[in-house]
Amino acid sequence: MSLRAARLVTLAEEARARQHASNADIITTLTEKDQQLRRLRDIVDSAYQLRATLWGLQTVLQRPDGSDPSFALAQMQHAATGLGEALGTRRGGEARELGDLSRAAASAERADLAAITERLLAWCDRLLKIEVTAQRALQEEVAQLLTYSVEANETEQATQNVAVATLRLGQETHEALTRRDADLAERKLARSGELADIAAALPISPLIQTDMIDAITEWRERLGTTIEGIRKQNAMIADMDQTAAAMVAKARSLNDLFTGDADWLGDFIGHVLVIGATVGLLFGSVAAFAAARSITMPLRRLQGSMLALAADPLAGRIAESDRRDELGDMARAANIFVTEISRRERDLRQAKERTDETLAELRQAQADLIQAEKLASLGQLVAGVAHEINTPLGIALTTATLLGDEAQEFERALKGNQLPRSRLAHFLDRMKEGSRLLFDNLGRASDLVHSFKQVAVDQVSDEPRRFEMKGWLEDVIRSLGPLLRKTQHAVAIDCPAPLQVGTYPGALAQVLTNLVINAALHAYDEGESGRIAITVRDAGDQLHLTVSDDGKGIAPQHLGRIFDPFFTTARHRGSTGLGLHIVYNLVTNKLQGRIDVESRPGAGTTFRIEMPKQLAGEARTEAMAAL
């Protein structure tokens, strides 16, 4: 039990060390994201300033009095220089394009300056659309990482408290067992149950948490067996003490009785010898000595054997049991007592062996149940619809804002009776371009919403239902079209057409989405295209689902930690390490299934999911509906 307590402390320290390393990774990621956010903010501010100077330059150029645009042009060049510095060397191509347009505007005649200004304004608008969208996404990611950082610190403190409680409980239990105090040990056993509940509630590594709960469970089972053994041994020792005391008292009584008889016989022989005088002296002495020895020697052997048996119940049988007198009766009674003790010891040993065999047979099932119950949910991911339509909606929102600004400028020019034909034509062109952008991006968003409709409804409702697997799977993959087209990866689906499934479609969609996105972003190098295969097989009451890729695979030292929360090898690219952890939680808890992974460097990665085709609760609901 001391070894198991030490093992539990080691596991708790290992979990705390992992959590500490994860906290350090989160801090590093937050620092990087903050620097990225500062750079984006500088670019957006400089772009807005450049757009304001461009509008001012357009206003000067459109005045009928032929005002000198030199001052407005100088302001525009200064703003363009600031934006170029904000873009820096990382955005060298865009900075060079901005510099070319700025120099062209500086050297252009007044007649060509309006066209160059329009090009600069369009370039600036496109840059703002991209950078504002990226800035919003980065701000949301930083907020999420801050939340995870607070939760991770609380987890580390709770893990350290488990180690301290384990040390204290192990020492107190050892003292209780040393004193053979079964009641105190029973109270320590109850406290260990509370420790198991605390460990099960910790959001730590699934493998370490499983080992911790297994160690606590084995420690509690051993302690319970030890307590039961101590109680039985204490009862047996008390019974043995009482029996030994009775046997010793009986032996002393018999010894006194036979000693009195021997004394009487000695006196009688003395009288005979006196009467027989010298004739019978020798014969009488020999007869008296033999008679006394035949009585006292067996009695002393019986007394010694019974005292030895009282001191050690396993000393062996008493040799005087074959006698047919009172001494033989006492020996046979003692032998029966010894036999009963041996039988009880053998029964206890057999019961312990059966218990160990039962624990070995149930260990796998128990590990699965504990693994399914121990993982706490770390949050809900944003639905696929919101993620995919973010870009077209952002572009549409920015376009609508620009159209509103254009409309206000046009209204001011109209009220001031300063509306030349060129300004009207410019306004109409801007309205046409904005309408086209709005129509294209809102149409794209509408198509994405239509593709995602059933998947999004399933995730929001969070209710189980029956659905046709192949058509539903094609809808889910179609919803990932923008990401897959961007990465140029091909997705192949192999699923029998008439397969019906009764489960949580929202949870299953999130599992498939995370696995496909994980393969698309992490299994291949940048610019490399690959093939992702999704295979579904009907296995009776079970559904076998496989997601595999032909990418670069997972390193062996990382394979055992891929389901841990916050573990990732791509944190420098913005990954938080929660995707596969959420997949594991949904499969083992929500979908009542199992998931494992197989991967070799250079040979791709395969995730295998086994889950019931019909959930237990859903099956009962359909049976009641049939009745």
Side-chain angles (χ1 to χ4, degrees), residues 185-200:
E186 190 74 33
R187 291 194 293 272
K188 303 306 176 185
L189 178 62
R191 286 184 57 189
S192 66
E194 299 174 357
L195 187 63
D197 294 338
I198 294 174

Side-chain angles (χ1 to χ4, degrees), residues 356-379:
D356 292 340
E357 292 174 357
T358 303
L359 288 176
E361 294 173 355
L362 295 178
R363 183 166 295 169
Q364 182 62 41
Q366 182 186 36
D368 293 341
L369 291 176
I370 293 175
Q371 189 74 0
E373 295 173 357
K374 72 181 180 179
L375 292 177
S377 176
L378 298 178

Side-chain angles (χ1 to χ4, degrees), residues 36 57 240 243 264 328 331 334 350 386 464 502 514 533 552 568 582 588:
Q36 295 176 12
L57 180 59
M240 290 170 60
T243 304
W264 175 84
Q350 293 176 354
N514 285 2
K552 55 188 176 182
T568 178
I582 293 175
T588 58

Side-chain angles (χ1 to χ4, degrees), residues 81 127 172 287 364 383 458 500 516 522 524:
T81 301
L127 180 65
E172 294 173 354
Q364 182 62 41
D458 289 334
Q500 294 287 329
V516 173
H522 302 296
Y524 305 95

Side-chain angles (χ1 to χ4, degrees), residues 46-58:
S46 300
Y48 275 120
Q49 185 177 0
L50 175 59
R51 187 172 67 172
T53 59
L54 288 172
W55 284 345
L57 180 59
Q58 282 186 336

Side-chain angles (χ1 to χ4, degrees), residues 23-37 138 141-150 571:
N23 293 347
D25 292 342
I26 293 175
I27 295 301
T28 302
T29 303
L30 280 172
T31 303
E32 295 174 356
K33 297 299 181 183
D34 181 69
Q35 294 176 356
Q36 295 176 12
L37 191 59
L138 192 58
E141 192 173 354
V142 168
Q144 185 181 23
L145 285 173
L146 287 173
T147 302
Y148 289 152
S149 177
V150 174
R571 199 175 300 278

Side-chain angles (χ1 to χ4, degrees), residues 20-279:
H20 184 73
S22 177
N23 293 347
D25 292 342
I26 293 175
I27 295 301
T28 302
T29 303
L30 280 172
T31 303
E32 295 174 356
K33 297 299 181 183
D34 181 69
Q35 294 176 356
Q36 295 176 12
L37 191 59
R38 291 175 183 271
R39 288 195 296 269
L40 286 175
R41 183 182 60 191
D42 293 339
I43 293 173
V44 171
D45 292 342
S46 300
Y48 275 120
Q49 185 177 0
L50 175 59
R51 187 172 67 172
T53 59
L54 288 172
W55 284 345
L57 180 59
Q58 282 186 336
T59 302
V60 173
L61 292 175
Q62 293 171 359
R63 290 176 181 173
D65 57 357
S67 300
D68 186 10
S70 300
F71 180 76
L73 185 61
Q75 287 182 326
M76 182 274 294
Q77 290 178 334
H78 179 72
T81 301
L83 179 56
E85 292 175 353
L87 290 172
T89 57
R90 297 188 179 186
R91 310 287 290 274
E94 295 173 337
R96 287 192 297 272
E97 184 179 0
L98 175 61
D100 294 340
L101 291 174
S102 176
R103 287 189 294 272
S107 61
E109 298 295 333
R110 182 184 182 92
D112 299 329
L113 186 57
I116 297 176
T117 302
E118 285 293 332
R119 291 174 58 192
L120 269 171
L121 189 59
W123 182 91
C124 186
D125 290 341
R126 288 195 301 272
L127 180 65
L128 279 173
K129 295 173 187 177
I130 297 172
E131 299 302 324
V132 168
T133 302
Q135 186 180 24
R136 291 173 180 170
L138 192 58
Q139 287 174 344
E140 295 176 356
E141 192 173 354
V142 168
Q144 185 181 23
L145 285 173
L146 287 173
T147 302
Y148 289 152
S149 177
V150 174
E151 295 176 353
N153 286 330
E154 295 175 354
T155 301
E156 180 180 357
Q157 183 63 38
T159 306
Q160 187 172 2
N161 293 338
V162 169
V164 174
T166 301
L167 287 173
R168 185 181 297 111
L169 184 60
Q171 183 178 4
E172 294 173 354
T173 305
H174 177 72
E175 294 175 357
L177 294 178
T178 302
R179 296 197 300 268
R180 303 181 66 86
D181 190 344
D183 294 335
L184 180 58
E186 190 74 33
R187 291 194 293 272
K188 303 306 176 185
L189 178 62
R191 286 184 57 189
S192 66
E194 299 174 357
L195 187 63
D197 294 338
I198 294 174
L202 291 176
I204 59 177
S205 168
L207 298 178
I208 294 179
Q209 193 173 41
T210 299
D211 291 341
M212 289 178 64
I213 295 178
D214 287 343
I216 294 174
T217 302
E218 291 178 2
W219 185 80
R220 296 186 73 242
E221 291 171 351
R222 295 291 183 180
L223 180 57
T225 303
T226 303
I227 292 172
E228 185 66 23
I230 289 176
R231 292 186 184 277
K232 291 181 178 180
Q233 289 177 6
N234 289 341
M236 291 172 60
I237 290 172
D239 293 339
M240 290 170 60
D241 289 340
Q242 295 177 359
T243 304
M247 292 174 64
V248 170
K250 185 67 174 177
R252 287 176 180 174
S253 176
L254 289 175
N255 182 60
D256 294 339
L257 177 61
F258 285 115
T259 302
D261 291 343
D263 293 338
W264 175 84
L265 185 58
D267 294 339
F268 176 78
I269 293 173
H271 290 295
V272 172
L273 289 176
V274 171
I275 296 173
T278 58
V279 178

